[in-house]
C-alpha cells in the first residue's frame, strides 16, 4: 500500500439537522402524518438501527435484560405512578375502550415497575436491570416542535434498575460511566453535569423525606465530579443527574440522565425479600444512556455535519468505476466489502467528478479505473481528503478494523 497523502484541516462549521436531514434523505415530515411525527427514510433508518443495535449490545454487556412493553396503558396505571396528577398536561387524552380508558404512555417507568413486580424478588437477584428501546408519546404544543429535537412520538433508550438502598449509589455511578463510554464511541462532547432539583411552583411529589434521601444519594454519586445544581429541572418523582451536551452554536440540551426514584416503588408496592426474610422496599434508578433516538440523531447530524463516524454512516464505502468497463470489477469490490459486513454500494450515474461530490460524506470513496483493475488495487479517497493506492483485501481489512473499533481516525 502506498502511503496516505494528508489533507488540510478544516474549520468547524455549524449545521442544521433539519436541512441536512432533508438533503441527505434521512428523515422527513408531512402534514398528513402530523406535526412532531417524523418518518425515517432508508438511510436514516440505517443510522437508527445501527445506533439501537449498538446501545442494546452495550447494555447487555453491562448486565441489563431487555424487555418489551406496550405503548398503551390503562389510565389507572398512570394514576398510581403519579403521571396523571403531576404530568397530565403533557399526556394525550385517554381513549375509551368499553368501560376502560387507555392512554398513550408518556414514559416507560410504570410498565417496568409492573415487570419487576410480576413475581416475588429476592435480595440475591438485585440489582435487577431492565432495559427497553420503547415508544412513548408527549402532547407537545405545536409551537415548540422542531425537526427531531422536539417531537410527539419518541423512541426512548430507557432502563430501570431495581436495587437495595445500599446498591443505589454504585448503580447510578455505573450508569454515568456507561453514558461516558457511549458518548466517546459516538463522538459526543459533553458540556457539563447538572444535578436537577425541584423548584418553586412546579408539580412534584409531596414527600420531603423521599426527596431528601434521593438527593443525598445523587450527591454521593457526583462526589469528585464537577457539576452544577439547577432548581426546577427535577422529574416530578425525584431528582436527576442530567448530562448536558452543546451544539456548534453553544446551545445546551439534555441528552442522557440518571435519576433516583423512591416514589414509584412506594406507589406500586414494590418489594424484595431481604436476608432477614422480611419485605423491603427497593430503590428505582432511572437511566438513559443516549436519551431519545430522535434527539441523539439530531445532535449527531449537527455535530458531524452529516459526516457520521464510519461505524454509524448509512453507506460506509462507495465504489466509483471510471468507465463502464470497470463496473463489474466495482461490483466485485462491493460484494467483497459486503461479505465482510460493510455497507457498500456502487455509484455509476453521472460524471466521475459529480459522483465524487455526491459521495463527499461517505467515509471511503473507492475509484476503480483501468490501471487499478489491472493491478488488483483501488484508488482510495478518504472523506478527510487523504488518498492512497491500496489492494482490495487490505482496504476491506482496514475499514472493518476501523468500524469495529468505532475510532475517530478513518484509517486507524
Amino acid at each position: 500500500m502506498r502511503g496516505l497523502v494528508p489533507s488540510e484541516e478544516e474549520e468547524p462549521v455549524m449545521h442544521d439537522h433539519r436541512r441536512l436531514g432533508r438533503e441527505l434523505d434521512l428523515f422527513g415530515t408531512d402534514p398528513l402524518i402530523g406535526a412532531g411525527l417524523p418518518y425515517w427514510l432508508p438511510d436514516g433508518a440505517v443510522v437508527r438501527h445501527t445506533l439501537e443495535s449498538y446501545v442494546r449490545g452495550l447494555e447487555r454487556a453491562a448486565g441489563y435484560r431487555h424487555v418489551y412493553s406496550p405503548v398503551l396503558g390503562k389510565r389507572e396505571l398512570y394514576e398510581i405512578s403519579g403521571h396523571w396528577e403531576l404530568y397530565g398536561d403533557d399526556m394525550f387524552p385517554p381513549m375509551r375502550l368499553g368501560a376502560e380508558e387507555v392512554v398513550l404512555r408518556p414514559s416507560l417507568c410504570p410498565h417496568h415497575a409492573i415487570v419487576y413486580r410480576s413475581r416475588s424478588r429476592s435480595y440475591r437477584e438485585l440489582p435487577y436491570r431492565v432495559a427497553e428501546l420503547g415508544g412513548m408519546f408527549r402532547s407537545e404544543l405545536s409551537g415548540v416542535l422542531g425537526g427531531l429535537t422536539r417531537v410527539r412520538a419518541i423512541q426512548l433508550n430507557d432502563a430501570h434498575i431495581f436495587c437495595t438502598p445500599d446498591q443505589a449509589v454504585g448503580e447510578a455511578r455505573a450508569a454515568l460511566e456507561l453514558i461516558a463510554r457511549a458518548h466517546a464511541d459516538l463522538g459526543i462532547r459533553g458540556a457539563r453535569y447538572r444535578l436537577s432539583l425541584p423548584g418553586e411552583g412546579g408539580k412534584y411529589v409531596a414527600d420531603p423525606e423521599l426527596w431528601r434521601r434521593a438527593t443525598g444519594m445523587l450527591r454521593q454519586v457526583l462526589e469528585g465530579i464537577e457539576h452544577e445544581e439547577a432548581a426546577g429541572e427535577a422529574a416530578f418523582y425525584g431528582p436527576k443527574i442530567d448530562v448536558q451536551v452543546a451544539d456548534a452554536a453553544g446551545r445546551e440540551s439534555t441528552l442522557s440522565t440518571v435519576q433516583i426514584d423512591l416514589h414509584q416503588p412506594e406507589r406500586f408496592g414494590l418489594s424484595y425479600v431481604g436476608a432477614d426474610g422480611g419485605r423491603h422496599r427497593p430503590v428505582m434508578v432511572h437511566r438513559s444512556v443516549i436519551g431519545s433516538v430522535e434527539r441523539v440523531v439530531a445532535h449527531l447530524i449537527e455535530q458531524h455535519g452529516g459526516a457520521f463516524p464510519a461505524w454509524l454512516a448509512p453507506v460506509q464505502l462507495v465504489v466509483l468505476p471510471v468507465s463502464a468497463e470497470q463496473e463489474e470489477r466495482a461490483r466485485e469490490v462491493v460484494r467483497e466489502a459486503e461479505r465482510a459486513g460493510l455497507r457498500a454500494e456502487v455509484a455509476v450515474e453521472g460524471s466521475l467528478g459529480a459522483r465524487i461530490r455526491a459521495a463527499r460524506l461517505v467515509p471511503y470513496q473507492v475509484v476503480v479505473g483501468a490501471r487499478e483493475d489491472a493491478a488488483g488495487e483501488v484508488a482510495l479517497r478518504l472523506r478527510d481528503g487523504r488518498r492512497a493506492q491500496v489492494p482490495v483485501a487490505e482496504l476491506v481489512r482496514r475499514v472493518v478494523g476501523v468500524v469495529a473499533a468505532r475510532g475517530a481516525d478513518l484509517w486507524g
Side-chain angles (χ1 to χ4, degrees), residues 34-344:
L37 301 170
Y39 55 83
W40 297 81
L41 294 163
D43 279 355
V46 169
V47 173
R48 173 172 164 171
H49 175 76
T50 304
L51 194 59
E52 291 176 350
S53 297
Y54 161 74
V55 78
R56 284 192 180 102
L58 193 70
E59 288 169 336
R60 283 195 300 272
Y64 288 82
R65 305 287 300 277
H66 289 95
V67 299
Y68 290 106
S69 58
V71 298
L72 292 169
K74 289 174 63 175
R75 172 176 164 170
E76 181 184 0
L77 175 68
Y78 306 105
E79 290 174 340
I80 293 172
S81 70
H83 284 83
W84 191 256
E85 176 190 358
L86 300 170
Y87 199 75
D89 292 344
D90 295 296
M91 297 172 64
F92 282 98
M95 296 170 279
R96 183 163 291 280
L97 295 176
E100 297 180 343
E101 287 185 329
V102 296
V103 182
L104 286 167
R105 67 179 173 192
S107 69
L108 282 70
C109 41
H111 293 256
H112 288 183
I114 298 297
V115 168
Y116 175 84
R117 77 173 198 183
S118 61
R119 65 172 176 80
S120 177
R121 307 282 175 183
S122 163
Y123 73 97
R124 293 187 180 90
E125 299 176 67
L126 305 185
Y128 181 65
R129 306 181 186 99
V130 179
E132 182 175 2
L133 270 159
M136 65 182 198
F137 302 85
R138 303 275 171 87
S139 182
E140 301 278 10
L141 297 175
S142 297
V144 302
L145 299 173
L148 294 177
T149 55
R150 202 72 178 263
V151 295
R152 288 171 171 158
I154 303 163
Q155 193 73 15
L156 185 67
N157 159 235
D158 206 7
H160 297 91
I161 304 161
F162 301 89
C163 59
T164 69
D166 290 344
Q167 293 169 333
V169 171
E171 287 298 312
R173 281 180 181 153
L176 281 184
E177 292 169 2
L178 203 62
I179 289 167
R181 162 77 183 280
H183 285 193
D185 286 346
L186 291 165
I188 293 173
R189 295 182 295 273
R192 61 190 174 100
Y193 291 99
R194 184 178 76 190
L195 177 57
S196 295
L197 302 171
E200 295 294 329
K203 293 183 177 181
Y204 303 104
V205 170
D207 192 322
E209 176 59 19
L210 292 186
W211 282 95
R212 185 193 65 78
R213 288 174 55 204
T215 301
M217 290 177 183
L218 287 184
R219 285 203 168 108
Q220 287 184 60
V221 173
L222 288 168
E223 283 181 3
I225 299 175
E226 187 175 346
H227 66 279
E228 299 176 5
E229 295 190 2
E233 298 294 337
F236 74 82
Y237 47 78
K240 59 192 174 93
I241 297 171
D242 291 321
V243 182
Q244 301 294 99
V245 298
D247 64 15
R251 294 169 299 199
E252 278 195 13
S253 62
T254 302
L255 201 61
S256 311
T257 63
V258 178
Q259 308 167 30
I260 286 186
D261 180 2
L262 305 177
H263 163 74
Q264 291 188 76
E266 184 78 27
R267 295 291 293 266
F268 282 101
L270 305 185
S271 66
Y272 64 90
V273 178
D276 59 0
R279 291 277 174 182
H280 301 269
R281 189 78 67 209
V283 175
M284 188 174 181
V285 179
H286 303 237
R287 180 247 68 190
S288 183
V289 169
I290 60 170
S292 77
V293 173
E294 291 79 12
R295 180 169 290 184
V296 73
V297 170
H299 184 80
L300 290 169
I301 292 171
E302 295 193 351
Q303 180 165 314
H304 299 296
F308 293 104
W311 69 274
L312 196 54
V315 178
Q316 295 165 324
L317 185 149
V318 62
V319 185
L320 311 162
V322 172
S323 67
E325 285 73 21
Q326 288 86 47
E327 281 190 26
E328 182 52 37
R329 176 58 178 153
R331 297 187 194 283
E332 288 177 5
V333 174
V334 166
R335 287 192 289 270
E336 189 166 341
E338 289 177 335
R339 282 193 294 269
L342 299 176
R343 296 186 288 274

